[in-house]
Amino acid sequence: MTGPTSDGPTREAVRDRLDRVTDPELDRSIVELEYIDVIEIDAGTVTVHLTLPTAWCSPAFAWMMAVDSRTEVEKLPAVERARIYHHEHMHEIEINRGVNAGRSFPEAFPDAEDTVDAVRAELDRKARTARQYDAVEALLEGGLESETIVSLRPTDLERTDGDDRLSIYLADRAVGVSVPAEPIDRYLEKARETGLVDDETDPLFLTPEGEPIDPAEFELVHRRGRLAQVNMSSQGGICDGLRESRERRLGGVAND
Amino acid sequence: MYDHNGEEIFVIDGHVHLWDATEGNITHEGGEEFIQCFYDYHTTFTPEERQWSIEEYRKYGAERMVEDLFENAAADMAIFQPTYLTDFYGDGFNTTEQNAELATEYPERFVLNGSFDPRDGEAGLEHLEELNETYDLQGVKVYTAEWRDESKGWRLDDEAAFEYLEKCEELGIENIHAHKGPTIRPLNRDAFDVADIDDAASSFPNLNFVVEHVGLPRLDDFCWIAAQEPNVYGGLAVAAPFAQNRPAKFSEILSELLWWLGEDRVLFGSDYAIWNPDWLVEAVLEAELTQDDRMEYGVEWDLETKRKVMGENAAELYDIDIDEKKAQFREDEISERFDLEDHYASDAPAAADD
């Protein structure tokens, strides 16, 4: 290589990239979930070690988190190569080898019938549904009616009061409401990522199946968003518990 | 019967096993992985002082099971749900025949369910008939993620499965319990997908489909299907022990279930011996919905709902007359052995549970 020798990225920059990686089943950041054990930086090579709550965690999910970590860290200009290592996972050898060699899931797991794409799409659908609940709650709290909410489009959202608020104007701008931007941005991130809200004039909110919402069905769709949240946080409770009991079994080994 | 603030609650534990995971019975590494994974669930959601050693857990035997279920009257009756796993365990993990050891000794206390696997073809249909002749089945437990040679699972909406469901209808086996729960390694996650319940339930409106573990971690898919199919029920096993160390989460899960399914379609189950009714029944009955959840969902975990979920709903599915049972239990062998006669005395108050 004749390229310039890099000093490598800062640890903060790497953590910031990893923070964008979610546990796909829980839709929460792997940094926040404390899956990351160690980040090693050696010039342009970054090595990330992570441990999931249980050795039995789905290989497909473990695979997605490793691939996403690698992709995110390698987005940093100062990084030439990211290596990701799962620990204490029953399929860590297949996953670590496969992900670091850039193989596909079926190449790494000869038993697997398919790539992880379908599983990922299904979990993305659930994450979008759950995030929509928070976004819609913010709008309801801001005083919007359900008929208005189902008719919104991304183009109706205006950033006026700085970054952390959004405004929506109604009745030919005679009325305006201001709501926190965070839940709506978080929802939009997933809706855009999954290609469902592509255009500024697409309907902003959708049913779990990806259809525009019939105003008569608003309440039911909203309850399904809440249900998706309860499902994810219940599974989070199971993962959390399994991790605690493993740590107890290993004699209270802490991450740091 | 459980004495809940002076009110009696007849408890039918809808999900129990009598298993053998001793090393001598394990014939495939999957068998060891399976019991270790079960054990993780056991320790995760069992109070520390009530946890078993892995050796006790591998095989506890009929005697201990009777004590755990009935000694302090935590449960009044229980329903055996077999799990064959014959590719992992030489004699099977928890078969109808293994369960029959206890079920035939105390037929008044146990309901014995059978099982089927559509991959067994014609021979399996005949076996189901034989099981039914021997044990007069009212229900079956099916394990769609079970490995069989090269196959890693099957679906309830397969053509082959439909043949078995038709056979169940013909034989009067009305209750189909499908394990749809957390990933138990080494079984594949997708084989516990709940989507197959939808088509099976609408194609067989005369059968009842009890989704065990309420589909966790697919509670959302499960509730959505159950809301549309009146013959779909939710078995609380796995969700129940949240009451003990994740009470707010338990409140939320239960609120969702009561909102989507209503109080007539949720059934208690301990999943014994993963969890033990001798502490779990109390944990569930003493649990409360949070004020926020009660406001949000408009549902109650009150005495009437508790009676239904803990026993009456299962009694309805299995034609159990609870009053008749109470009379019978005034003098059955179990009551005699554990001095529970007063418990079932018609007008006397139930003995204090603790």
Side-chain angles (χ1 to χ4, degrees), chain A residues 25 56 61 90-91 125-126 223-224 226-227 230-231 233-235 237-238 240-242 245 249, chain B residues 33 37 40 44 185 189 217-221 223-224 242 246 249 252-253 256 259-260 296-297:
Chain A
E25 194 177 34
W56 322 104
F61 302 169
M90 60 175 307
H91 292 294
R125 183 182 70 77
K126 294 186 175 203
R223 294 314 309 173
R224 290 180 73 187
R226 176 78 165 107
L227 176 60
V230 172
N231 178 55
S233 59
S234 305
Q235 184 57 19
I238 291 180
D240 230 34
L242 290 173
S245 71
R249 192 169 68 229
Chain B
E33 284 177 21
C37 189
D40 274 354
T44 297
R185 293 302 306 166
R189 176 183 189 272
R218 291 164 226 83
L219 180 71
D220 46 350
D221 302 329
C223 287
W224 180 236
F242 273 68
R246 297 280 191 285
K249 209 73 257 170
E252 232 175 13
I253 296 171
E256 288 283 2
W259 196 85
W260 289 96
E296 183 186 338
Y297 293 91

Side-chain angles (χ1 to χ4, degrees), chain B residues 153-264:
Chain B
W154 54 278
R155 295 174 59 92
L156 263 166
D157 55 5
D158 287 341
E159 214 174 296
F162 272 30
E163 268 187 59
Y164 277 75
L165 293 173
E166 279 164 18
K167 178 62 73 179
C168 286
E169 241 180 354
E170 182 193 318
L171 298 174
I173 302 172
E174 288 179 358
N175 301 307
I176 315 296
H177 295 254
H179 173 110
K180 296 287 183 184
T183 315
I184 304 292
R185 293 302 306 166
L187 307 177
N188 296 17
R189 176 183 189 272
D190 295 349
F192 287 142
D193 179 13
V194 293
D196 56 343
I197 296 290
D198 201 350
D199 192 17
S202 44
S203 302
F204 292 89
N206 298 323
L207 299 179
N208 307 308
F209 292 83
V210 185
V211 172
E212 297 297 340
H213 320 299
V214 293
L216 281 169
R218 291 164 226 83
L219 180 71
D220 46 350
D221 302 329
F222 164 67
C223 287
W224 180 236
I225 290 168
Q228 297 161 78
E229 307 292 342
N231 53 335
V232 172
Y233 296 72
L236 271 185
V238 176
F242 273 68
Q244 177 260 139
N245 60 355
R246 297 280 191 285
K249 209 73 257 170
F250 178 77
S251 165
E252 232 175 13
I253 296 171
L254 191 59
S255 299
E256 288 283 2
L257 290 169
L258 293 173
W259 196 85
W260 289 96
L261 281 78
E263 59 191 30
D264 296 325

Side-chain angles (χ1 to χ4, degrees), chain B residues 45 47 113 142 165 174 212 219 237 293 302 317:
Chain B
F45 290 100
N113 277 350
V142 294
L165 293 173
E174 288 179 358
E212 297 297 340
L219 180 71
D293 289 341
D302 53 14
L317 292 184

